Amino acid sequence: MLKKSKKRLKLIFILLVTVFLTGCWDRIEIEEFAFVSVIGLDEGEDGMLKITFQITNPQIGTSTKVQVDEPPSDIITFLSEDLVASRDLASTSIARRLTFSHAKAFIVSEDLAKSNKFYPIIEATQRDRDIRRELNLIVCKEDAADFIRNNRPPFDIRASKYYEFLTSRWEDVGFVPLSTLHKFSLRTLDDMGLFLVTYATTKPDHPKTHLDSEGDIIAGQLDKIDENPMQMMGSAVFKEGKMIGKLTGDETRLALILRPTVQTNNILATFPDPLKEGEKISAKLVRGKNKIKITITDDYPIIDVKIPLTLSIASIPSNIDYVKNQSNQKLLIAAIEKRLETVTMELIKKTQEEFGAEPFLWSQVARKKFWLYKDFRDYNWSEKYKNAKITVEYDVTIEDFGKQNRPPKI
């Protein structure tokens, strides 16, 4: 009896081991993969898609000291009816199996983003298990194929690392929004407002030399001298899955500041010096928790927003005493608050009249005023927002004036 029990246990053990061993039957060695780091989409001929892949060379940028005389990546462009199925077309020239699992950026041309077929394409690609929803979505002024080929980062050989570092800088600077495929799909399906996508170009056109502030431009308008012509500034505005306009870098920053939750909290900005015309004062902005009060009426919502900002003054080129002189300091605070409120109301007016919806995520606050989500949908928030009565108030506090207690005596 004991021998039979042992035999049964051995048989059960063997059967269990074979179950785990079956997980290796379809294994693929890592050397057999070709990792796509950037995907580009353009409109092709006869309803086709022009698809571009930037494929990372695995031998470049590793910790090994072996010198490899090869390019850091290979860029291929071809026509296809579908992005996911296009991987098989790449086998005509690439021996390895293409994978999107390590892709970092999804580049789309402005022409395609403004067409009605853009959202169905993006929605269909997300069904593929190989495409991550955390992919950064970027709209470029020119063809995506040209953008990918013209972008030549000087310090980052690997394209995947380059876009990874860019993402962390976007969170600090705020000149462009953090836009991923996942957020784009959620905002489009929600259909309660606008979605902002990073705007970029490698073909500068008519640079602006006279700026009201450092972010008063979009990509392509920055006057710079650089071997890499790429510029990322401002945002492409999407409504119902289609691009309908653009915001400058400053307008994008304001849109992020007006949102209920903190999106960017390390902004460096400049403001006109109230006591010396033509001079600017630079400061670091840290936003507190916004107070957003929304009153729902039958005809339109009434929105009151209070934004607490803490400033750390970085430089005062005019050398006017704003540190010890309390009256000057109060004048400076009042001037900054007035400046911010003026440009904010201009942006809100633009969203109401030109775009007909809001990118500030106020719909998330407004829906709490309704018992049922169906009631909120029936209210038609985007349509009512066009006639909304909105007031914005900034509460500015100066935390410090840097390392110097007083302006230098010259």
Side-chain angles (χ1 to χ4, degrees):
M1 188 71 179
L2 186 61
K3 289 183 179 180
K4 288 184 178 180
S5 309
K6 287 182 178 180
K7 286 182 179 179
R8 287 175 183 173
L9 287 173
K10 287 180 180 179
L11 182 62
I12 293 171
F13 177 75
I14 292 171
L15 290 173
L16 286 173
V17 170
T18 55
V19 169
F20 289 108
L21 288 176
T22 57
C24 303
W25 72 273
D26 62 343
R27 75 185 187 280
I28 302 174
E29 298 294 338
I30 193 169
E31 298 159 349
E32 299 177 37
F33 282 114
F35 295 99
V36 176
S37 55
V38 183
I39 303 170
L41 280 184
D42 298 302
E43 282 193 280
E45 299 175 358
D46 300 326
M48 302 279 280
L49 285 176
K50 188 166 73 170
I51 300 171
T52 302
F53 294 145
Q54 185 170 7
I55 305 167
T56 300
N57 185 345
Q59 300 186 67
I60 303 296
T62 60
S63 58
T64 58
K65 296 183 179 181
V66 179
Q67 296 293 327
V68 180
D69 188 18
E70 295 178 4
S73 64
D74 182 30
I75 300 174
I76 60 172
T77 302
F78 48 86
L79 293 176
S80 176
E81 294 184 353
D82 178 66
L83 171 62
V84 177
S86 65
R87 280 180 297 193
D88 291 341
L89 286 176
S91 63
T92 57
S93 60
I94 297 174
R96 303 189 185 197
R97 183 191 297 254
L98 252 65
T99 176
F100 300 142
S101 60
H102 287 210
K104 296 293 182 181
F106 207 107
I107 316 293
V108 181
S109 67
E110 185 173 336
D111 290 338
L112 179 60
K114 288 181 176 179
S115 69
N116 292 323
K117 55 185 179 182
F118 171 66
Y119 178 70
I121 293 170
I122 294 296
E123 196 276 334
T125 59
Q126 294 183 75
R127 297 176 183 273
D128 186 71
R129 295 179 180 179
D130 209 20
I131 295 180
R132 297 184 178 183
R133 285 175 171 254
E134 292 77 20
L135 269 173
N136 294 304
L137 186 59
I138 300 171
V139 173
C140 60
K141 183 173 69 174
E142 65 272 28
D143 281 355
D146 295 335
F147 178 89
I148 294 171
R149 284 183 168 84
N150 294 337
N151 185 19
R152 300 183 296 274
F155 305 115
D156 300 295
I157 297 175
R158 284 179 172 269
S160 57
K161 274 294 180 186
Y162 172 71
Y163 286 100
E164 188 177 324
F165 290 148
L166 269 183
T167 304
S168 61
R169 288 299 297 144
W170 295 342
E171 293 177 352
D172 291 338
V173 178
F175 280 137
V176 297
L178 186 59
S179 50
T180 63
L181 289 181
H182 180 65
K183 290 182 178 180
F184 174 74
S185 294
L186 285 180
R187 193 67 171 158
T188 304
L189 292 172
D190 185 48
D191 193 24
M192 289 295 170
L194 306 173
F195 184 73
L196 304 182
V197 175
T198 301
Y199 189 70
T201 186
T202 57
K203 295 184 178 180
D205 185 27
H206 301 103
K208 289 180 67 174
T209 54
H210 301 287
L211 307 176
D212 290 336
S213 60
E214 65 282 350
D216 186 30
I217 53 174
I218 60 172
Q221 295 179 338
L222 179 62
D223 189 14
K224 72 164 187 172
I225 300 173
D226 191 355
E227 290 185 4
N228 185 13
M230 198 276 287
Q231 297 181 21
M232 286 190 181
M233 175 69 79
S235 52
V237 181
F238 280 78
K239 184 179 181 181
E240 298 176 355
K242 182 179 177 180
M243 181 178 170
I244 60 171
K246 287 172 277 195
L247 294 179
T248 65
D250 280 343
E251 290 172 334
T252 302
R253 275 182 166 181
L254 287 173
L256 298 178
I257 288 174
L258 288 168
R259 292 182 175 182
T261 56
V262 177
Q263 302 286 321
T264 302
N265 214 13
N266 193 23
I267 294 175
L268 284 170
T270 59
F271 302 95
D273 193 319
L275 294 178
K276 191 165 184 180
E277 188 176 351
E279 294 290 348
K280 301 272 185 155
I281 291 174
S282 61
K284 176 184 174 182
L285 279 63
V286 177
R287 203 206 82 179
K289 185 176 181 180
N290 288 351
K291 295 180 180 179
I292 303 173
K293 180 183 177 183
I294 299 179
T295 304
I296 301 296
T297 67
D298 292 337
D299 298 324
Y300 53 81
I302 301 170
I303 306 171
D304 298 306
V305 184
K306 292 185 179 180
I307 305 169
L309 284 180
T310 302
L311 268 62
S312 178
I313 303 298
S315 67
I316 309 174
S318 65
N319 289 330
I320 294 174
D321 185 9
Y322 289 106
V323 184
K324 300 294 184 181
N325 192 318
Q326 293 299 310
S327 61
N328 287 351
Q329 194 174 125
K330 290 179 181 178
L331 185 64
L332 175 62
I333 291 173
I336 292 174
E337 288 177 343
K338 184 179 179 181
R339 166 78 175 176
L340 287 171
E341 288 166 5
T342 300
V343 295
T344 299
M345 292 309 298
E346 289 175 356
L347 172 61
I348 290 172
K349 184 179 179 182
K350 182 177 181 178
T351 60
Q352 287 181 305
E353 296 180 357
E354 185 177 337
F355 301 141
E358 51 90 10
F360 315 121
L361 304 183
W362 289 343
S363 61
Q364 296 178 1
V365 180
R367 70 178 58 184
K368 297 177 184 178
K369 302 294 181 179
F370 297 83
W371 284 101
L372 300 174
Y373 182 66
K374 180 182 179 300
D375 295 337
F376 178 59
R377 299 287 300 185
D378 293 340
Y379 184 72
N380 199 348
W381 170 258
S382 293
E383 191 64 30
K384 293 290 197 304
Y385 170 77
K386 297 177 183 179
N387 300 313
K389 307 300 180 184
I390 304 170
T391 58
V392 177
E393 179 184 345
Y394 283 87
D395 182 15
V396 173
T397 303
I398 297 180
E399 183 179 48
D400 60 68
F401 288 84
K403 295 181 179 180
Q404 288 184 271
N405 291 328
R406 57 177 61 88
K409 295 180 180 180
I410 299 177

